[in-house]
Amino acid sequence: MNRANDLGTNTSIDFFHRFSHIRVDTWGKVKELSKFYEQPWLSESRVRAVHRTIGKLLKQLVAIEEYTAFPSKSDMEYLWSVFQCEDYASLNRAVHRIERALLTDSYRSRHLKLNIQDISALRVEDEQEAAESQWSKRSTTDRPYFELQVIDNFKSIHEEESLRSAFLELRHPEDEFVYDVATVKSFEDSLIGVLINPNIQACVIRYGFPLRSVHGYDVFRHYLLDVDESRMNRMTELERSIELGLLIKKIRPEIDLFLMSGVAVEKSASLATGHFERIFYREPGYLECHQSILRSIHSRYQTPFFSALKKYSRRPTGVFHALPISRGMSIRRSHWIKDFSDFYGDNIFMAETSATSGGLDSLLQPTGPLKEAQAKAARAYGSKETYFVTNGTSTANKIVLQALIEPGDVVLVDRDCHKSHHYGMVLMGARTAYLDAYPLDEFSMYGAVPLRSIKQKLLEYERAGRLDEVRLLILTNCTFDGMIYNVYDFMEQCLAIKPDLIFLWDEAWFGFACFNPLYRTRTGMAAARALKRKYQSPDYAKRYAAYCEERAGLDLEDDASWLDHKLLPDPDKVRLRVYSTQSTHKTLTSMRQGSMIHVYDQDFRHRSKAAFDEAYMTHTSTSPNYQILSSLDAGRRQVELEGYELVHKQIAAAMTLREQIYNNKRLSKYFRVLVSKDLVPAAYRLSGVESYYEADTGWSRMEDAWMADEFVIDLSRITLHVGRTGVDGDTFKNEYLMDQFGIQINKTSRNTVLFMTHIGTNRSSVTFLLEVLEKIAEDIDQKIEDYSKPERKLFESRVRELTEEQPPLPDFSSFHEDFRQPGSPQTSDGDIRTAYFKGFKEELCEYIRFDNGDVFRELEGGRELVSAGFVTPYPPGFPVLVPGQTVSREIIEFLMVLDVKEIHGYRAELGLRVFKQR
């Protein structure tokens, strides 16, 4: 068979991020084209053209299926042979069978053969009916399917098929799982395989394989950068195998690795400790390897708490305890709420219990299945410790803050962060130093906090002699609107100034990022691990010594020396103390309010754990919802075994949605998807990439941006500018999307709405949204056509207001001197706790009206107005005033021109609550 270099012809990242879409769509094209051969009216020239097109598509499929177990290499050989023999009837039937199996996933539950006898005896209609019937009969009792990748220097397809058969013969009906085998022949092919084939859950690395792939790999260049050919050629076969294992783990940490070594296994064990599940010496037969593979998958498949809860729910008990709803007793006896049980089913009540009943583990002091479930979650998310939280990330944030902060500590906080952080400052008595994100005035939203401004803030405290008071930095990653930090660089640069700084990354909307190799690099846990490895390496010690010599003569008081250069932390002083809070329920499978705290803190055990445990007990209910806990456990199983695939499909759905809006003339008339240049100023885009997608080049530059830029945009969030519809974001959300079409979103600005794809989004969902936007655009067209001249003028005025006349977003002003640190005018922190509680003392406060001009008269008269509480407009949802903050004219003007329905902390009939003038 001619194995053309078809991957290399695709220089776009589409192939990687949309592999599953491209794969199924290509099979569909071949199926449709192969039908043409049966048409008698087709001219000979047209037949030849169709033949050439199918040939090209088959070559692409040969390259794609090189990395999958189904269809097998012998299946592809069969297709190629019937195509070359021009047996189009057999080709059509075989392709139809494969496509149906891929669409319905029936290949997971039954073995399909494509030999001539099977194909000839099976009509296409029968196959379609059989495939659909097989799909409909599948149940949760079916054995889960995965694929095993085997890497070896195979000389022929016969060798590959022989090894595959040897493994398949070991499978037994009583096995917990069923698998098929995908064989690859080189170092690069193995990496490409784990990148594009999400079914791969285990790899057996054999020996003697070459480095380079015969297929192109331009689309994977960002993931193969560590493949240094000259270095690889100097390695022994064993060293190369171990290096391959390291890179596979870097791409997909969840994959189980097995090494078959041709050298003494004792030596292999000493070199490969920690990377491989098992190491086998070259020997005939694969039974022990087969059993080890299934055992490793079983370890990830286990859900200790969910399984314990299921077991408890089936156990007969007598309930002489609280919780009348337990076992459904209070419902079954009722004559009036039986519909409640009918709606939810029995299991949710059968599993209702509490720790004190002795049925299950305690969340506050786990020693059994909950402890094990949290340990498995730590493994999945790459943390040292993981804690389950049953009342949302708001509580998770407060737990971390209480554990790390003492009264009087200075905390650097993004002002545009979730309100739980602001209230956490009040509860813990921290001195709050607010950081301003760059404003996006045109869209009434904030971006992210630039690294330069954070370094500047740290230097202010250093020069004021107060750097030791700075305890914690809090940033939101990614932001609600999708701005993602370069977490690695941010932490490294801050640690160069303050080596013991603690980081809290609020990743409430970013839990899914752990399961994509590109996104993972910008998460708190992955960056912490990478920095730890870096600072412990001898190469970094040499680099740091050279760096110190270079900077020996620099003026330490010169801002440019610190702000305009990359800094390096002292490896002997730096302590990596990183925390991430994630709303699992927002982006992954979990019941509402299911969240996690991930910890990568080198000093956690001896400095923070006792305080953390107390904080956890302070904020965690003694009656946690066990259904939430079990969903966190089951959701962890899902992401460890199929998170890679689901996140890829999520991103693919978002890419498709963006493309269709970009390229649709009617939609682009009223809607515009905001791109990188809209949301990230040029100063923070070192790559120079303005948009990840261009109509003529596709998605060719996204990864360049992710490797270099200070901030990047989350592809799965589509911020749609709707100003040209003449409708503000909130109205568009409620009156158009929700009321007319039942489409739910939860973030708007004055002229934008935010659509988010997630692991539950499918291609049908994207199609429906596009249809809705088409209908809205068509409706607006019709309205404009029917407008009278005055109505058209009013519409144009409204469009102008929403596209050209946005109020500038105000920066944080400052804390009033009563709440500032005495004797430290150059630092900006304030005592938000004192101001907060004083704000509830009626004798100290008064209200200033906006509508009658009182506020401006007071400001013009020289009075310094000081806010007595939080003032938070929704949208955009950030506090423009906090307790103790001086009220600037810019803030008042911003509040006055807002047309939102909610401003929390402001009562229109009374005015703004401020402290009385002394």
Side-chain angles (χ1 to χ4, degrees), residues 135 181 281 508 704 826 846 894 908:
W135 176 249
V181 180
Y281 187 69
D704 293 331
Q826 66 272 54
E846 62 179 320
F894 174 77

Side-chain angles (χ1 to χ4, degrees), residues 23 78 89 147 271 360 397 482 485 631 845 911:
R23 182 190 186 196
Y78 169 76
E147 293 183 7
L271 292 174
L360 285 165
N397 289 332
Y485 285 80
S631 72
C845 302

Side-chain angles (χ1 to χ4, degrees), residues 310-453:
K310 287 192 294 182
K311 184 177 179 180
Y312 169 84
S313 70
R314 299 187 188 105
R315 190 175 71 189
T317 60
V319 179
F320 293 91
H321 187 264
L323 298 173
I325 202 172
S326 179
R327 322 294 291 186
M329 301 301 288
S330 64
I331 298 172
R332 290 194 188 92
R333 296 168 61 86
S334 173
H335 298 291
W336 293 93
I337 61 170
K338 289 181 179 179
D339 56 334
F340 186 60
S341 178
D342 293 340
F343 181 77
Y344 282 105
D346 288 338
N347 282 344
I348 195 170
F349 306 114
M350 294 297 289
E352 191 62 70
T353 184
S354 76
T356 55
S357 70
L360 285 165
D361 206 356
S362 167
L363 180 60
L364 294 177
Q365 197 169 21
T367 58
L370 259 177
K371 183 177 181 179
E372 188 179 351
Q374 291 182 150
K376 286 182 176 293
R379 178 187 66 193
Y381 288 87
S383 64
K384 284 179 173 287
E385 311 276 348
T386 287
Y387 293 84
F388 291 171
V389 180
T390 59
N391 40 353
T393 302
S394 295
T395 293
N397 289 332
K398 293 167 190 171
I399 290 170
V400 175
L401 293 177
Q402 182 174 325
L404 300 177
I405 297 172
E406 296 180 8
D409 283 342
V410 173
V411 179
L412 310 185
V413 188
D414 172 13
R415 184 167 59 99
D416 191 23
C417 65
H418 189 265
K419 65 179 184 179
S420 59
H421 297 290
H422 302 279
Y423 287 110
M425 298 300 104
V426 173
L427 292 173
M428 310 316 158
R431 299 195 63 83
T432 308
Y434 280 115
L435 303 164
D436 275 309
Y438 60 82
L440 296 165
D441 295 330
E442 184 180 353
F443 312 114
S444 297
M445 67 176 72
Y446 281 103
V449 181
L451 176 58
R452 183 184 175 92
S453 64

Side-chain angles (χ1 to χ4, degrees), residues 377-387 400 477 487-488 491 503-507 510-511 513-514 519-533 576-582 596-602:
R379 178 187 66 193
Y381 288 87
S383 64
K384 284 179 173 287
E385 311 276 348
T386 287
Y387 293 84
V400 175
N477 186 52
V487 175
Y488 182 99
M491 292 202 296
F503 300 88
L504 170 53
W505 294 98
D506 185 333
E507 296 180 344
F510 210 44
C514 300
Y519 277 65
R520 188 188 306 117
T521 60
R522 289 187 175 236
T523 64
M525 294 297 101
R529 282 185 174 273
L531 288 172
K532 182 185 177 185
R533 288 194 299 269
L576 281 161
R577 308 192 64 192
V578 185
Y579 294 74
S580 295
T581 53
Q582 292 176 351
M596 296 188 191
I597 300 170
H598 302 299
V599 181
Y600 198 96
D601 184 348
Q602 289 179 287

Side-chain angles (χ1 to χ4, degrees), residues 218 303 334 339 359 373 520 560 588-589 665 829 854 897 901:
D218 277 355
T303 48
S334 173
D339 56 334
R520 188 188 306 117
L588 296 172
T589 298
K665 289 184 179 179
D829 55 280
D854 283 356
V897 298
K901 297 179 175 62

Side-chain angles (χ1 to χ4, degrees), residues 1-2 51 58-59 77-88 91:
M1 187 193 319
N2 177 21
H51 182 87
L58 281 178
K59 286 181 179 180
E77 284 284 347
Y78 169 76
L79 288 180
W80 196 256
S81 67
V82 296
F83 169 72
Q84 290 182 322
C85 294
E86 300 187 2
D87 181 359
Y88 302 127
L91 176 67

